[in-house]
Amino acid sequence: MSDFQLGKLWLVDMLAMSKDALHVFVGMTVFLLAAALLRRPLGDWRPFLAVLLAALVGEAWDLLETWQAGQVMRWGRSGHDAFLTVFWPAILFGLARWTRLLRRSSQ
């Protein structure tokens, strides 16, 4: 098992959460950190792109390691994981971009 996989299992164990929950936390963390580091609002496309890229790279890595181990590649599971990673960042991105819900008041 690769260091990447061992690291994910360690995080799941240390945080006492499921792998699915880890995907949600990673997506939100990447989204918020990217917005903060890039000094961009949540409605800007760049923080969301960072989440999308992180999800796609992570799932590509998982699929590559599965293939290298001679195991059956579970495309549906990878899609599910990518969905979990980007879902809440996509919701916040959409709310920030196309509604007034996440905008500062003018007071």
Side-chain angles (χ1 to χ4, degrees), residues 49-102:
L49 180 63
V51 174
L52 190 57
L53 289 174
L56 293 175
V57 167
E59 292 312 310
W61 193 330
D62 283 346
L63 286 169
L64 177 64
E65 289 185 350
T66 301
W67 176 73
Q68 287 175 335
Q71 299 171 348
V72 175
M73 295 185 3
R74 297 169 49 185
W75 293 95
R77 183 67 192 166
S78 287
H80 173 80
D81 290 348
F83 172 79
L84 289 174
T85 305
V86 302
F87 179 79
W88 286 112
I91 296 296
L92 291 178
F93 168 72
L95 288 172
R97 188 164 185 101
W98 294 299
T99 72
R100 295 175 187 251
L101 190 61
L102 296 179

Side-chain angles (χ1 to χ4, degrees), residues 8-83:
K8 289 193 310 185
L9 292 174
W10 179 81
L11 272 175
V12 165
D13 188 49
M14 284 298 296
L15 299 174
M17 66 174 59
S18 69
K19 288 183 182 178
D20 285 349
L22 183 63
H23 282 277
V24 174
F25 275 81
V26 167
M28 287 300 296
T29 301
V30 169
F31 185 59
L32 296 173
L33 276 176
L37 293 173
L38 297 172
R39 296 181 180 203
R40 307 302 302 175
L42 297 180
D44 187 82
W45 59 271
R46 287 166 270 227
F48 183 69
L49 180 63
V51 174
L52 190 57
L53 289 174
L56 293 175
V57 167
E59 292 312 310
W61 193 330
D62 283 346
L63 286 169
L64 177 64
E65 289 185 350
T66 301
W67 176 73
Q68 287 175 335
Q71 299 171 348
V72 175
M73 295 185 3
R74 297 169 49 185
W75 293 95
R77 183 67 192 166
S78 287
H80 173 80
D81 290 348
F83 172 79

